[in-house]
């Protein structure tokens, strides 16, 4: 009996690589675990997980010999790490290999929002360019003031890119970092007051829920743009929607939402919002690297070696 269980929607190439490496049992969803008998459950020592459905104490208790949950993705907020630690289960993620893609998307969304690229493209495609003339003037992005909420691995890559756009860089983190002249803010309201673009790169999970609160959004002001590549949970989404609908901030550029993919339809009505379908790390190259790092963690575990990227 195989020792590896794989849960989640994998690409064909990741599915084939997992099959070749571990000859695992594949499931689509954590809820499918209830279909296994006790002996099958007892055989699994490693779980390769991909997805946003919760993996908590109940799922872990169905797998009494589980010692590793190798998450596909750097964000592991779907996994109850406290419950895993209590059961002696190591959790791993896939950090760093996706930093460039997520930072690229954040900057692209920011430019797309300011330069109204979706609307301008539609102006040309619809024939308006030919029949009605030039597209309306929009907003200069280079040289603005950017605030990064969470200067971690991805936040720093975003800041580096925006600095190359001649932006004045401000940031919030729980402690001041060594940076090339960027301005530290110990609270997010002070950060929002100082900038035009607020880019959120926090971890998800209960500790950062609604971290970008109504007060933070209000502090951003009418020229303010919220960019979120972290998790929908880090922003008070209803406060954000109200501010956007009432024109109290200039716009938003969002890759992540509450209740993905069934997002609040109020977003679709707002021309000032750029919407991306949670595709920050979604390139062929980066997804391959994430899959490899996940498999490397599972292989290390089975070989009795230290895993590469433990989070607990
Ligand atoms: P990271 O290096 O761990 O950075 C996380 C940041 O969150 C750090 O600045 C950290 O602050 C801050 N933070 C953690 N706990 C906090 C708390 N309780 N209160 C306030 N701040 C807190 O993580 P990363 O690799 O940059 O990834 C960040 C997140 O991006 C992931 O967790 C994931 O949710 C998201 N992500 C999204 C996509 C996408 O497709 N859109 C792709 C990959 C990742 P300190 O510096 O003070 O510790």
């Amino acid at each position: 009996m195989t020792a590896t269980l794989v849960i989640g929607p994998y690409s064909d190439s990741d599915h084939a690589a997992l099959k070749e490496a571990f000859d695992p049992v594949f499931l689509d969803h954590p809820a499918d675990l209830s279909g296994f008998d006790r002996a099958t459950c007892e055989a699994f020592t490693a779980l390769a997980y991909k997805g946003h459905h919760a993996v908590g104490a109940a799922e872990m208790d169905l797998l009494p010999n589980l010692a590793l949950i190798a998450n596909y993705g750097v964000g592991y907020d779907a996994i109850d790490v406290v419950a895993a630690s209590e059961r002696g289960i190591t959790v791993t993620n896939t950090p760093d290999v996706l930093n460039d893609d997520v930072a690229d998307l954040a900057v692209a969304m920011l430019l797309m929002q300011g330069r109204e690229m979706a609307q301008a493209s539609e102006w040309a495609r619809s024939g308006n360019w030919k029949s009605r003339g030039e597209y309306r003037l929009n907003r200069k992005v280079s040289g603005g003031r950017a605030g990064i909420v969470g200067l971690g691995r991805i936040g720093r890559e975003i800041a580096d890119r925006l600095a190359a756009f001649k932006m004045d860089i401000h940031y919030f983190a729980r402690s001041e970092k060594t940076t090339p002249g960027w301005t530290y803010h110990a609270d997010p309201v002070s950060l929002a007051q100082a900038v035009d673009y607020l880019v959120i790169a926090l971890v998800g999970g209960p500790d950062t829920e609604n971290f970008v609160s109504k007060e933070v959004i209000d502090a951003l002001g009418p020229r303010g743009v919220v960019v979120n590549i972290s998790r929908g949970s880090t922003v008070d989404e209803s406060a954000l929607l109200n501010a956007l609908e009432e024109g109290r901030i200039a716009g938003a550029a969002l890759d992540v939402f509450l209740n993905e993919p069934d997002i609040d339809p109020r977003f679709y009505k707002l021309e000032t919002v750029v919407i991306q379908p949670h595709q920050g790390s979604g390139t062929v190259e980066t997804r391959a690297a994430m899959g490899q790092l996940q498999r490397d963690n599972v292989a290390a575990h089975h070989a009795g070696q230290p895993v590469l990227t433990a989070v607990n």
Side-chain angles (χ1 to χ4, degrees):
M1 175 60 77
T2 177
T4 307
L5 175 64
V6 173
I7 300 181
Y10 286 86
S11 67
D12 290 347
S13 59
D14 276 330
H15 191 281
L18 283 160
K19 187 162 177 42
E20 160 116 32
F22 309 115
D23 193 19
V25 171
F26 289 92
L27 289 180
D28 292 333
H29 192 282
D32 300 339
L33 276 170
S34 58
F36 285 146
D37 61 27
R38 183 86 191 157
T40 306
C41 287
E42 281 174 357
F44 298 122
T45 62
L47 165 62
Y49 184 65
K50 178 176 186 228
H52 299 286
H53 298 290
V55 177
E59 288 74 22
M60 294 173 203
D61 287 341
L62 288 172
L63 303 167
N65 294 316
L66 194 66
L68 175 75
I69 302 175
N71 188 54
Y72 178 105
V74 68
Y76 49 87
D77 41 304
I79 298 165
D80 185 338
V81 177
V82 173
S85 298
E86 283 167 0
R87 288 158 180 75
I89 299 170
T90 300
V91 179
T92 60
N93 65 346
T94 60
D96 289 318
V97 295
L98 41 63
N99 295 352
D100 283 337
D101 276 350
V102 182
D104 287 356
L105 192 82
V107 174
M109 291 198 305
L110 198 156
L111 287 166
M112 192 170 166
Q113 202 284 335
R115 301 306 309 271
E116 301 183 358
M117 288 168 68
Q119 298 92 323
S121 179
E122 186 51 32
W123 184 262
R125 285 175 183 276
S126 68
N128 278 343
W129 186 17
K130 195 169 153 198
S131 62
R132 296 173 60 190
E134 282 185 0
Y135 183 68
R136 70 186 177 208
L137 302 184
N138 41 75
R139 176 171 174 177
K140 180 170 180 177
V141 174
S142 279
R145 300 172 306 164
I148 316 296
V149 188
L151 200 72
R153 289 172 292 242
I154 295 171
R156 196 171 272 269
E157 287 291 339
I158 295 169
D160 281 341
R161 282 161 174 71
L162 296 182
F165 282 80
K166 303 171 198 164
M167 285 193 166
D168 190 14
I169 306 295
H170 298 243
Y171 69 97
F172 160 85
R174 289 172 297 179
S175 58
E176 191 164 359
K177 316 276 181 197
T178 306
T179 65
W182 303 341
T183 306
Y184 175 62
H185 296 259
D187 85 274
V189 172
S190 147
L191 175 71
Q193 278 165 345
V195 302
D196 308 307
Y197 301 98
L198 194 70
V199 187
I200 305 147
L202 292 170
V203 297
D207 292 346
T208 56
E209 208 171 308
N210 291 340
F211 191 88
V212 178
S213 61
K214 179 179 183 306
E215 200 188 355
V216 175
I217 293 165
D218 287 347
L220 202 49
R223 297 257 315 149
V225 174
V226 171
V227 181
N228 191 8
I229 53 78
S230 63
R231 287 287 184 266
S233 58
T234 61
V235 179
D236 182 337
E237 201 171 81
S238 85
L240 177 65
L241 277 162
N242 290 342
L244 287 162
E245 286 171 352
E246 291 159 21
R248 287 186 280 106
I249 62 171
L254 308 169
D255 187 43
V256 287
F257 301 83
L258 295 178
N259 303 320
E260 297 171 10
D262 187 18
I263 71 171
D264 193 317
R266 288 163 71 192
F267 281 115
Y268 297 128
K269 298 202 179 97
L270 288 159
E271 233 213 349
T272 54
V273 179
V274 166
I275 297 174
Q276 292 289 295
H278 198 155
Q279 65 128 338
S281 65
T283 66
V284 171
E285 295 85 350
T286 290
R287 290 290 168 88
M290 290 163 65
Q292 185 65 56
L293 183 49
Q294 182 190 42
R295 292 192 297 279
D296 289 348
N297 276 311
V298 176
H301 165 77
H302 285 319
Q305 306 287 330
V307 293
L308 285 79
T309 49
V311 299
N312 64 342

